[in-house]
Amino acid sequence: MKEIHDFTSRYDLDYFMGKLLGFLVTNKFILDPETHQVVQNVLDAENAFYEQRLAGKLVPEALEIAEETLFQNVGLSQYDIVTEILMENYSDNFELDSEQAMEYWTIRVLTEIPDLFEEFDASVIGIDRLELDTNYNAVVGRIVNFMSDNGVQ
């Protein structure tokens, strides 16, 4: 499993990169370190900020507009999706309200079904909500099969 933590140190001094990566790390997004969209979102946010400042906007106003641009094409976290599916389907079967148990099973699912989200659009960061809605039953089915194969009914 490739995590965003692998490349955060390259951008320590960049405000927009730090803000975006901080959000992605906090929400446990799983990304390839070479994700073009992350870099593009940062560049777009920087350009939006500079354009707003040149247009006479104050820093807080320019930052607000730039941050809207920064989070374009950011979908849902694979980690959060799997956690939600596990809670919906297995919360009665084992102690999922403990944070450690939930993290264990979520990471296990993501590790042992590495292609769970492979069919999803890679041009966004994370998973697009509409695309998830369309493929939700297939994702749930694969997770349910995995859990069943591992003795959890």
Side-chain angles (χ1 to χ4, degrees), residues 1-7 24 27-33 77-80 82-83 102-117:
M1 174 166 42
K2 297 176 187 173
E3 292 192 46
I4 196 121
H5 302 285
D6 296 340
F7 66 112
L24 297 175
N27 291 288
K28 299 180 181 178
F29 276 73
I30 301 166
L31 294 174
D32 184 323
S77 162
Q78 294 174 2
Y79 184 94
D80 289 342
V82 171
T83 299
M102 181 54 67
E103 186 170 345
Y104 168 80
W105 281 104
T106 300
I107 290 172
R108 187 157 176 207
V109 166
L110 288 169
T111 301
E112 295 192 31
I113 313 174
D115 61 344
L116 184 61
F117 297 100

XYZ file of all heavy atoms in Angstrom, residues 1-7 24 27-33 77-80 82-83 102-117:
321
model
N 0.864 -1.164 0.000
C 0.000 0.000 0.000
C 0.908 1.225 0.000
O 1.752 1.385 0.866
C -0.888 -0.050 1.245
C -1.706 1.153 1.439
S -3.060 1.026 2.637
C -2.376 0.144 3.996
N 0.738 2.101 -0.970
C 1.524 3.323 -1.048
C 0.786 4.420 -0.308
O -0.375 4.661 -0.550
C 1.719 3.726 -2.501
C 2.487 2.717 -3.293
C 2.563 3.134 -4.732
C 3.189 2.028 -5.547
N 3.150 2.296 -6.955
N 1.467 5.083 0.592
C 0.819 6.147 1.339
C 1.477 7.473 1.006
O 2.636 7.542 0.639
C 0.905 5.879 2.847
C 0.069 4.697 3.254
C -0.081 4.607 4.743
O -0.356 5.633 5.375
O 0.087 3.497 5.253
N 0.739 8.511 1.193
C 1.205 9.845 0.876
C 2.396 10.257 1.724
O 3.183 11.093 1.334
C 0.050 10.853 0.988
C 0.427 12.145 0.300
C -0.302 11.147 2.394
C -0.494 12.500 -0.775
N 2.596 9.620 2.875
C 3.701 9.960 3.762
C 5.045 9.863 3.050
O 6.010 10.487 3.457
C 3.748 9.016 4.972
C 2.495 9.002 5.776
N 2.160 10.024 6.622
C 1.506 8.091 5.849
C 1.020 9.741 7.199
N 0.591 8.576 6.741
N 5.116 9.079 1.979
C 6.371 8.835 1.300
C 6.988 10.086 0.685
O 8.175 10.132 0.477
C 6.176 7.812 0.178
C 5.766 6.458 0.707
O 5.989 6.195 1.903
O 5.206 5.669 -0.073
N 6.210 11.097 0.386
C 6.788 12.229 -0.317
C 6.472 13.586 0.294
O 6.693 14.615 -0.327
C 6.405 12.196 -1.804
C 4.950 12.382 -2.100
C 4.504 13.522 -2.733
C 4.024 11.399 -1.775
C 3.166 13.674 -3.027
C 2.696 11.557 -2.072
C 2.268 12.697 -2.699
N -4.655 15.192 3.204
C -4.636 13.830 2.673
C -4.087 12.836 3.696
O -4.601 11.726 3.827
C -3.830 13.781 1.375
C -4.390 14.620 0.217
C -3.447 14.583 -0.973
C -5.786 14.191 -0.170
N -6.645 12.347 6.590
C -7.793 11.538 6.169
C -7.387 10.207 5.538
O -8.210 9.537 4.918
C -8.671 12.353 5.221
C -9.343 13.478 5.964
O -10.255 13.248 6.751
N -8.867 14.691 5.772
N -6.126 9.855 5.680
C -5.583 8.550 5.289
C -5.830 8.199 3.828
O -6.201 7.073 3.498
C -6.108 7.465 6.217
C -5.705 7.714 7.654
C -6.223 6.663 8.578
C -5.778 7.037 9.989
N -6.250 6.146 10.998
N -5.606 9.176 2.950
C -5.698 8.903 1.523
C -4.528 8.022 1.120
O -3.440 8.126 1.670
C -5.642 10.208 0.714
C -6.965 10.900 0.595
C -7.523 11.552 1.676
C -7.642 10.901 -0.609
C -8.737 12.190 1.564
C -8.864 11.545 -0.733
C -9.414 12.187 0.359
N -4.761 7.170 0.149
C -3.723 6.290 -0.366
C -3.424 6.761 -1.780
O -4.292 6.723 -2.648
C -4.192 4.826 -0.367
C -4.545 4.407 1.056
C -3.126 3.925 -0.969
C -5.334 3.121 1.132
N -2.202 7.232 -1.984
C -1.831 7.773 -3.282
C -0.462 7.278 -3.701
O 0.399 7.028 -2.879
C -1.757 9.300 -3.228
C -3.034 10.064 -2.993
C -2.720 11.535 -2.824
C -3.988 9.870 -4.141
N -0.290 7.198 -4.985
C 1.024 6.957 -5.537
C 1.805 8.271 -5.398
O 1.273 9.342 -5.708
C 0.870 6.576 -7.012
C 2.186 6.201 -7.659
O 3.223 6.816 -7.334
O 2.166 5.292 -8.491
N 3.048 8.216 -4.948
C 3.823 9.448 -4.775
C 3.977 10.285 -6.042
O 4.248 11.467 -5.972
C 5.195 8.950 -4.312
C 4.927 7.625 -3.728
C 3.757 7.052 -4.484
N -11.662 9.375 0.625
C -10.548 8.534 1.037
C -10.945 7.063 0.938
O -12.006 6.663 1.428
C -10.175 8.875 2.482
O -9.404 7.863 3.065
N -10.084 6.249 0.337
C -10.327 4.809 0.266
C -10.451 4.239 1.679
O -11.289 3.375 1.939
C -9.190 4.112 -0.473
C -9.094 4.497 -1.921
C -7.881 3.899 -2.601
O -7.110 3.150 -2.008
N -7.699 4.235 -3.866
N -9.637 4.718 2.573
C -9.661 4.268 3.965
C -11.031 4.544 4.580
O -11.621 3.669 5.209
C -8.559 4.996 4.748
C -8.427 4.545 6.179
C -7.513 3.556 6.526
C -9.196 5.109 7.183
C -7.380 3.137 7.837
C -9.074 4.693 8.499
C -8.163 3.716 8.822
O -8.045 3.296 10.117
N -11.533 5.762 4.389
C -12.839 6.114 4.951
C -13.964 5.298 4.331
O -14.919 4.922 5.015
C -13.124 7.609 4.770
C -12.250 8.482 5.654
O -11.675 7.961 6.641
O -12.148 9.687 5.369
N -13.777 2.185 3.085
C -13.731 0.825 3.627
C -14.202 0.814 5.079
O -14.975 -0.063 5.482
C -12.315 0.220 3.484
C -12.195 -1.099 4.239
C -11.971 0.026 2.014
N -13.786 1.795 5.859
C -14.217 1.879 7.255
C -15.733 1.975 7.341
O -16.371 1.278 8.143
C -13.567 3.095 7.946
O -12.151 2.933 7.929
C -14.034 3.240 9.379
N -10.985 -1.244 14.237
C -11.414 -0.677 12.954
C -10.213 -0.427 12.054
O -10.238 -0.750 10.865
C -12.190 0.620 13.176
C -12.676 1.242 11.893
S -13.640 0.129 10.845
C -15.060 -0.083 11.855
N -9.160 0.120 12.615
C -7.959 0.382 11.827
C -7.352 -0.932 11.327
O -6.949 -1.035 10.168
C -6.938 1.160 12.652
C -5.743 1.586 11.854
C -4.846 2.557 12.600
O -5.268 3.130 13.620
O -3.714 2.739 12.138
N -7.319 -1.942 12.189
C -6.774 -3.243 11.802
C -7.514 -3.807 10.590
O -6.897 -4.190 9.596
C -6.860 -4.235 12.977
C -6.584 -5.657 12.564
C -5.279 -6.100 12.384
C -7.629 -6.554 12.320
C -5.015 -7.398 11.978
C -7.374 -7.855 11.917
C -6.071 -8.276 11.748
O -5.815 -9.553 11.335
N -8.840 -3.878 10.668
C -9.611 -4.480 9.583
C -9.595 -3.624 8.326
O -9.542 -4.141 7.209
C -11.045 -4.780 10.030
C -11.078 -6.034 10.844
C -11.192 -6.134 12.200
C -10.943 -7.370 10.359
N -11.142 -7.449 12.581
C -10.994 -8.231 11.463
C -10.790 -7.919 9.096
C -10.900 -9.620 11.353
C -10.702 -9.303 8.975
C -10.754 -10.135 10.097
N -9.624 -2.326 8.484
C -9.581 -1.452 7.308
C -8.256 -1.621 6.573
O -8.233 -1.799 5.350
C -9.794 0.018 7.718
O -11.063 0.144 8.355
C -9.732 0.930 6.508
N -7.164 -1.585 7.307
C -5.847 -1.733 6.675
C -5.702 -3.130 6.082
O -5.157 -3.295 4.990
C -4.723 -1.416 7.680
C -4.728 0.089 7.976
C -3.366 -1.855 7.145
C -3.810 0.517 9.091
N -6.224 -4.110 6.763
C -6.147 -5.482 6.244
C -6.898 -5.608 4.919
O -6.397 -6.210 3.968
C -6.694 -6.462 7.277
C -6.481 -7.886 6.869
C -6.488 -8.847 7.994
N -6.377 -10.192 7.432
C -6.832 -11.260 8.016
N -7.416 -11.186 9.196
N -6.695 -12.436 7.438
N -8.096 -5.049 4.856
C -8.864 -5.088 3.606
C -8.099 -4.373 2.494
O -7.944 -4.902 1.385
C -10.269 -4.470 3.792
C -10.934 -4.195 2.442
C -11.150 -5.374 4.647
N -7.609 -3.186 2.777
C -6.900 -2.417 1.748
C -5.603 -3.097 1.317
O -5.203 -2.995 0.153
C -6.613 -1.003 2.255
C -7.836 -0.092 2.350
C -7.493 1.179 3.121
C -8.376 0.235 0.979
N -4.952 -3.793 2.233
C -3.701 -4.474 1.909
C -3.946 -5.764 1.134
O -3.254 -6.051 0.158
C -2.920 -4.792 3.209
O -2.668 -3.574 3.901
C -1.607 -5.484 2.911
N -4.932 -6.519 1.561
C -5.152 -7.827 0.964
C -6.061 -7.800 -0.274
O -6.172 -8.797 -0.980
C -5.682 -8.794 2.021
C -4.626 -9.027 3.100
C -4.939 -10.178 4.016
O -5.592 -11.152 3.572
O -4.526 -10.111 5.179
N -6.698 -6.666 -0.512
C -7.440 -6.468 -1.764
C -6.873 -5.202 -2.414
O -7.541 -4.176 -2.494
C -8.962 -6.314 -1.533
C -9.519 -7.369 -0.590
C -9.700 -6.384 -2.870
C -10.982 -7.162 -0.236
N -5.632 -5.261 -2.872
C -4.971 -4.042 -3.356
C -5.640 -3.419 -4.584
O -5.490 -2.228 -4.841
C -3.552 -4.501 -3.676
C -3.659 -5.967 -3.881
C -4.784 -6.433 -3.010
N -6.383 -4.220 -5.329
C -7.026 -3.700 -6.539
C -8.499 -3.348 -6.310
O -9.255 -3.196 -7.257
C -6.891 -4.700 -7.676
C -7.561 -6.039 -7.376
O -7.872 -6.313 -6.194
O -7.771 -6.815 -8.326
N -8.899 -3.177 -5.060
C -10.296 -2.902 -4.726
C -10.827 -1.671 -5.464
O -11.960 -1.650 -5.914
C -10.439 -2.704 -3.209
C -11.844 -2.497 -2.665
C -12.729 -3.701 -2.961
C -11.789 -2.247 -1.159
N -10.002 -0.659 -5.621
C -10.426 0.574 -6.279
C -9.692 0.810 -7.600
O -9.703 1.914 -8.126
C -10.193 1.770 -5.341
C -11.009 1.706 -4.074
C -10.449 1.263 -2.885
C -12.341 2.082 -4.077
C -11.203 1.202 -1.719
C -13.104 2.025 -2.923
C -12.531 1.582 -1.745
